[in-house]
Amino acid sequence: MRYTRASVPEDERYLASTAVIMSEVIKTLVCLGVLYGVPPPHRRSASRLSTLLHHELIVKWRESSKLAFPAVLYLIQNNLQYVAATNLDAATFQVTYQLKILTTAFFSVMILHKPLTRLKWAALALLTVGIALVVVPKDAVSLTGIANYFSSSSQVVSSSVTEESLGNQSNAQGFFAVLMACVLSGLAGVYFEKILKAPSKPAQQEAANTDVEGKVIVVDDVFQEDYAQSQLWVRNIQMSFFSVLLGLVFVVLLQDGTTIAEKGFFVNYNTLTWCVIGIQAFGGLIVALVVKYADNILKGFATSISIILSSLLSVWLFNFSITGTFLLGATFVIYATYLYGL
């Protein structure tokens, strides 16, 4: 993503808002394809898929509406990230944004009642410190430099790639925005995990099978058996529906409506743009699988390790220099992962 955004002049960049929408559309199409292939071959049909979607999205509208809450949280979070990036240099934003790992753990305890031992909390703290060291710029490798880095509002360049500063108008506003984004990220992720892992309750089936007009919808046992394990893909479609709806109204139209009206929805799209969109879409589905079969905290560890891998790739793509601070941070992350698994 960074390569496609940084390698072209600003007036030739694709619109990030439309790329987000297309990523959600691709996720929906993939989920529809999976749902179509779930039943045995002799029972696959477009009509059965249409019946499933009508049952899950329309008949069970109360369940679908629950996904609007995390969709709104993610929308606000994305806007807060923009505010934070406008008022803080990129390195400071990256370091402080890793606090979302701790907020996720906090909401996991509060909402999911997930027990965390002192060792696991220590692992989480060590992980946060390790990631902070990984993303600290090479100009701040000493203890004095790190202290000055956090107390200074000066611009910092973390690699040989020169970045244009986006502001630094208000450090207080920037820190508040990134902290709120961490809180919303943790809350939205844990809430989605709660919905995804919620057990089906037979006592609620009669109410769930009643449409908005009060008519009872009968779904045969064979149909329910075919799609019993498909809630993950249904939930993704529901989430994408609200994300696309809210994104089109509050992000695409309000933020880039004028540009789209003049140049089109797919302005400056190319092959690499579609590659990025595809990676984002399939990455989102993988995250959903992780949340379903693991949890948000382990997702945080996987994301943290991915930062190290992306930094290593940056050596090749952006001539990034590996420092002693980076190696120390990477060691902390790997050891924290080991501690959390004990």
Side-chain angles (χ1 to χ4, degrees):
M1 180 185 294
R2 171 166 174 76
Y3 181 79
T4 59
R5 300 289 290 177
S7 62
V8 296
E10 184 175 358
D11 59 347
E12 297 180 9
R13 292 175 184 169
Y14 60 90
L15 299 177
S17 60
T18 63
V20 171
I21 296 299
M22 292 311 302
S23 176
E24 294 295 329
V25 170
I26 291 177
K27 284 171 59 177
T28 301
L29 294 176
V30 172
C31 291
L32 289 175
V34 173
L35 289 175
Y36 180 82
V38 164
H42 64 280
R43 290 206 293 264
R44 294 173 188 167
S45 68
S47 62
R48 287 176 64 84
L49 178 59
S50 177
T51 301
L52 172 69
L53 296 177
H54 177 266
H55 183 259
E56 295 291 342
L57 301 179
I58 306 300
V59 176
K60 299 172 64 174
W61 61 272
R62 292 182 181 86
E63 293 295 319
S64 296
S65 63
K66 294 179 180 179
L67 274 298
F69 179 65
V72 170
L73 292 182
Y74 281 128
L75 181 66
I76 299 174
Q77 173 200 338
N78 291 334
N79 282 276
L80 286 173
Q81 289 185 55
Y82 178 78
V83 174
T86 302
N87 290 280
L88 296 173
D89 62 82
T92 302
F93 170 72
Q94 285 180 316
V95 171
T96 52
Y97 193 52
Q98 299 314 311
L99 291 173
K100 66 181 181 179
I101 299 172
L102 296 182
T103 61
T104 299
F106 171 77
F107 285 114
S108 294
V109 173
M110 297 299 295
I111 297 177
L112 301 179
H113 307 292
K114 185 184 296 293
L116 293 180
T117 63
R118 291 183 179 179
L119 182 62
K120 291 186 183 296
W121 278 112
L124 288 168
L126 186 61
L127 172 70
T128 304
V129 173
I131 289 299
L133 290 174
V134 166
V135 298
V136 161
K138 62 183 179 182
D139 299 57
V141 294
S142 66
L143 293 178
T144 303
I146 292 176
N148 292 335
Y149 165 70
F150 281 107
S151 62
S152 173
S153 61
S154 61
Q155 299 177 12
V156 181
V157 178
S158 61
S159 70
S160 63
V161 179
T162 302
E163 297 183 4
E164 182 180 356
S165 175
L166 295 178
N168 294 326
Q169 291 122 354
S170 172
N171 276 336
Q173 183 179 355
F175 278 118
F176 177 77
V178 74
L179 289 176
M180 288 303 300
C182 290
V183 172
L184 294 180
S185 175
L187 178 57
V190 172
Y191 184 86
F192 181 65
E193 179 180 347
K194 181 179 178 66
I195 294 176
L196 200 60
K197 293 182 176 180
S200 58
K201 299 179 180 180
Q204 296 179 346
Q205 286 182 357
E206 182 176 349
N209 291 338
T210 304
D211 65 13
V212 293
E213 297 179 354
K215 299 177 181 179
V216 177
I217 306 298
V218 178
V219 180
D220 60 81
D221 294 337
V222 175
F223 185 92
Q224 290 183 342
E225 181 181 351
D226 283 346
Y227 295 105
Q229 304 299 323
S230 302
Q231 285 302 303
L232 172 66
W233 310 105
V234 172
R235 295 302 189 199
N236 272 285
I237 291 176
Q238 292 169 326
M239 177 76 80
S240 293
F241 169 77
F242 287 109
S243 297
V244 170
L245 180 63
L246 295 170
L248 284 174
V249 175
F250 294 104
V251 180
V252 174
L253 293 181
L254 294 181
Q255 178 178 312
D256 298 314
T258 303
T259 303
I260 293 174
E262 294 177 355
K263 302 180 181 179
F265 192 88
F266 300 105
V267 57
N268 296 325
Y269 273 45
N270 55 35
T271 303
L272 286 178
T273 305
W274 286 108
C275 287
V276 169
I277 291 173
I279 290 172
Q280 289 294 101
F282 287 102
L285 294 175
I286 292 173
V287 167
L289 289 170
V290 171
V291 172
K292 173 68 174 179
Y293 297 106
D295 56 37
N296 268 283
I297 299 177
L298 291 179
K299 176 172 71 73
F301 278 101
T303 303
S304 302
I305 295 174
S306 76
I307 295 177
I308 297 175
L309 295 177
S310 63
S311 299
L312 294 175
L313 285 174
S314 293
V315 174
W316 174 50
L317 292 176
F318 305 114
N319 296 319
F320 178 78
S321 299
I322 296 181
T323 64
T325 308
F326 173 85
L327 293 176
L328 180 61
T331 302
F332 279 4
V333 169
I334 295 172
Y335 186 60
T337 305
Y338 167 75
L339 283 181
Y340 189 81
L342 292 178

